[in-house]
Amino acid sequence: MSADAKALVGHAGGVHLQVLADRVGLAGELSHAMRRKGFIPLHPRGQVLTDLACAIVLGAVAISDVRLLEHQREVLGTTASPSTVWRVLDEAGEVQLQRIALARAKVRKRVWGLLEAREGGFPWITVNGRALEGWTVLDSDATPVACASEKEGAAGTYKKGVFGLCPLLSFCDNTGELLAQQLRPGDAGANDTADNIAIFAAAVAQLPATYRRKILFRTDGAGFSCGLLKWIAAAGGRTHPSFTWEYSTGWTFTQREMDAVLALDKLEKKGKPVWEAVWDTDGTARENAAVAEVTGLLGDLSTWPAGHRVFIRREPLHPRYAKDASAYELEHGVRLQAFATNTPGRQAAWLDLRHRSHARVEGKIRDSKAESLARFPSRWMTVNQAWLTVTALACDLRAWLQLLACDGEMATATPKTLRYRFLHVPAVLVRGQRRRRLKIPKTWPWAAQIVTVFRRLLALPHPT
């Protein structure tokens, strides 16, 4: 073996990412956001951030991993060194991060315009096979990230045995994009009202104006609070009747809810149908699972938003939850959970299926951790917050690539699968007059799909 090969390009899928970033104008908008009066950098700051985001999609987990782009220099040009990347992240203070958020929103508007124009149109969420046209769905969740004790903000998290930081994230379920991110100390509470309102407000600010009118906000039982639900019900203070904001959140199960279940049991013994069969995602009834509305059995709910409704779902008790089960759950072999919404009408089974779709946020967080969310590179919170922002950029690039250019299994592949089949494909660089061509092995099992994706990206219009 020798290290003297020439005209070879590894991770050739990185070229696709750079072409996509160029077609949506990402680097230019980020450079404008990072501008400094009287300072003209050798490496445009927006391009440095874009390169780092591309490297993260390709598998980088540390700032030094940006060096993997060096062997693509003949295709993409020079890239910044790790020390330059460090400086760029350090330059991203609070003002710069606010500008980056505005730049991301501007680019996102272009991308969503392209999604609207594609053959399949904008990706609306479906419930029981029916699309929720016109509705933007936002999910939020906090996730502990293990860190060494010397990192600023590291502390014991709400998850037992995890010491580190606790980012709060908001995803768009329609597109899979990571819209907003907030890096918090490890001991930050999951149901902090101010934090949850702030993350959702930042996510809404990322949406094009027409997609802010009808929004469904979803969070789990650890994240909801009365203040958050009132903010959602009031459309964040917007008074125009065209704004319809709804929530679907977890609900704390207390003795009051247990009394409601006992009341339902009494009605059931009298032959009154109070429980409704729960649906699976394919529309079929789930065996031994049911849901019922208990709003009228919970007493005074006047402190909650108008139209507030509470539901209880029961399903077979899994051994995983047996140790935390109540005496009633152990006796009847069921697990009881509650959720709340302000959606009027709609049957309980439909609302339950819509709420359970919030679980998709766990997969999005897992994919983010498979990229770079699972590791923060610096001792300082400001640099780590900038790293988290670039992680969000990487999540967006991957989502846009799959939405705009991929189909079949590639369109829904996890980051690991996407790298294995697509992004890490090797290529040979061939020069001919003024043109350069990348040739990937024709024996590569997914070669035809990769070429098709590249052609689709080249066909995207340049930003005006």
Side-chain angles (χ1 to χ4, degrees):
M1 181 180 293
S2 62
D4 55 0
K6 297 180 180 180
L8 299 179
V9 176
H11 299 76
V15 178
H16 294 69
L17 295 171
Q18 293 284 1
V19 170
L20 172 60
D22 175 67
R23 286 298 191 266
V24 298
L26 181 61
E29 295 294 343
L30 292 176
S31 290
H32 184 68
M34 293 290 290
R35 67 191 183 280
R36 288 162 52 191
K37 187 176 181 180
F39 176 65
I40 303 177
L42 177 63
H43 295 282
R45 284 354 195 184
Q47 189 60 57
V48 174
L49 293 176
T50 300
D51 288 345
L52 180 58
C54 290
I56 287 174
V57 178
L58 292 173
V61 295
I63 292 175
S64 59
D65 289 344
V66 75
R67 294 179 60 192
L68 68 86
L69 299 180
E70 290 181 0
H71 68 279
Q72 298 179 354
R73 181 174 299 178
E74 294 187 59
V75 181
L76 302 176
T78 59
T79 57
S81 65
S83 59
T84 299
V85 175
W86 268 104
R87 287 194 297 272
V88 173
L89 293 178
D90 191 44
E91 292 170 10
E94 184 176 349
V95 172
Q96 286 73 24
L97 291 179
Q98 291 175 356
R99 291 176 179 172
I100 288 174
L102 293 174
R104 292 179 63 201
K106 190 172 181 179
V107 173
R108 198 177 316 281
K109 184 178 180 180
R110 295 174 187 156
V111 173
W112 284 29
L114 295 173
L115 292 177
E116 293 170 355
R118 68 177 187 164
E119 183 178 351
F122 189 78
W124 303 114
I125 297 302
T126 60
V127 178
N128 195 26
R130 186 173 181 178
L132 300 182
E133 290 193 16
W135 284 91
T136 307
V137 182
L138 302 183
D139 293 313
S140 76
D141 203 2
T143 179
V145 176
C147 295
S149 59
E150 65 267 16
K151 292 187 184 292
E152 182 183 3
T157 68
Y158 67 86
K159 192 170 185 179
K160 188 177 180 180
V162 178
F163 184 95
L165 300 173
C166 188
L168 184 60
L169 313 171
S170 180
F171 292 85
C172 178
D173 195 30
N174 301 73
T175 60
E177 297 161 292
L178 176 50
L179 298 182
Q181 62 292 321
Q182 179 183 355
L183 186 59
R184 307 182 303 163
D187 55 1
N191 65 341
D192 185 284
T193 299
D195 284 353
N196 282 283
I197 290 177
I199 199 68
F200 272 138
V204 171
Q206 286 293 307
L207 304 177
T210 56
Y211 291 88
R212 300 180 187 180
R213 298 187 180 278
K214 296 173 68 175
I215 305 178
L216 173 66
F217 297 83
R218 294 188 303 207
T219 187
D220 57 22
F224 89 100
S225 64
C226 186
L228 173 63
L229 300 192
K230 286 183 176 180
W231 178 83
I232 295 172
R238 296 164 176 82
T239 57
H240 196 278
S242 64
F243 286 92
T244 304
W245 287 11
E246 296 179 358
Y247 56 79
S248 181
T249 74
W251 182 259
T252 304
F253 197 95
T254 65
Q255 185 58 46
R256 181 175 60 169
E257 285 70 30
M258 189 69 251
D259 292 341
V261 171
L262 296 176
L264 291 177
D265 287 347
K266 291 179 181 180
L267 292 173
E268 192 174 30
K269 288 180 181 179
K270 293 179 180 179
K272 296 183 178 181
V274 292
W275 292 97
E276 186 176 331
V278 165
W279 296 339
D280 272 324
T281 54
D282 59 1
T284 59
R286 178 177 292 187
E287 186 177 358
N288 299 324
V291 62
E293 183 171 1
V294 296
T295 308
L297 301 174
L298 299 182
D300 184 16
L301 294 174
S302 60
T303 58
W304 297 87
H308 185 75
R309 305 169 68 190
V310 181
F311 297 81
I312 291 179
R313 179 175 67 254
R314 69 180 185 188
E315 55 191 1
L317 180 63
H318 191 278
R320 175 183 177 184
Y321 303 106
K323 65 177 182 178
D324 297 320
S326 66
Y328 178 93
E329 291 174 317
L330 291 173
E331 179 184 351
H332 294 81
V334 298
R335 185 183 183 215
L336 300 173
Q337 294 176 289
F339 69 94
T341 183
N342 64 337
T343 301
R346 295 289 189 178
Q347 64 189 106
W350 188 92
L351 293 170
D352 172 72
L353 179 59
R354 185 187 68 172
H355 178 69
R356 281 188 285 122
S357 298
H358 171 67
R360 287 196 288 260
V361 75
E362 298 293 341
K364 296 180 180 69
I365 291 176
R366 184 171 58 250
D367 289 346
S368 300
K369 288 188 173 181
E371 289 175 328
S372 63
L373 182 62
R375 181 178 178 183
F376 290 102
S378 175
R379 293 181 58 184
W380 309 113
M381 186 74 84
T382 54
V383 176
N384 288 332
Q385 177 63 66
W387 175 266
L388 181 59
T389 300
V390 179
T391 298
L393 291 172
C395 290
D396 287 353
L397 275 174
R398 173 172 48 81
W400 298 341
L401 176 70
Q402 293 180 290
L403 287 167
L404 292 172
C406 297
D407 49 28
E409 293 182 351
M410 287 287 195
T412 57
T414 63
K416 181 178 179 180
T417 301
L418 203 63
R419 292 174 194 142
Y420 180 77
R421 297 183 179 183
F422 175 5
L423 300 177
H424 290 181
V425 61
V428 177
L429 178 62
V430 179
R431 286 185 174 85
Q433 297 179 351
R434 295 183 179 180
R435 300 185 66 182
R436 289 171 296 173
R437 297 175 61 89
L438 281 177
K439 293 189 175 183
I440 61 176
K442 71 177 182 179
T443 55
W444 192 261
W446 306 277
Q449 297 176 59
I450 295 171
V451 172
T452 299
V453 169
F454 189 72
R455 290 172 178 169
R456 288 172 179 170
L457 291 174
L458 289 179
L460 295 177
H462 282 281
T464 55

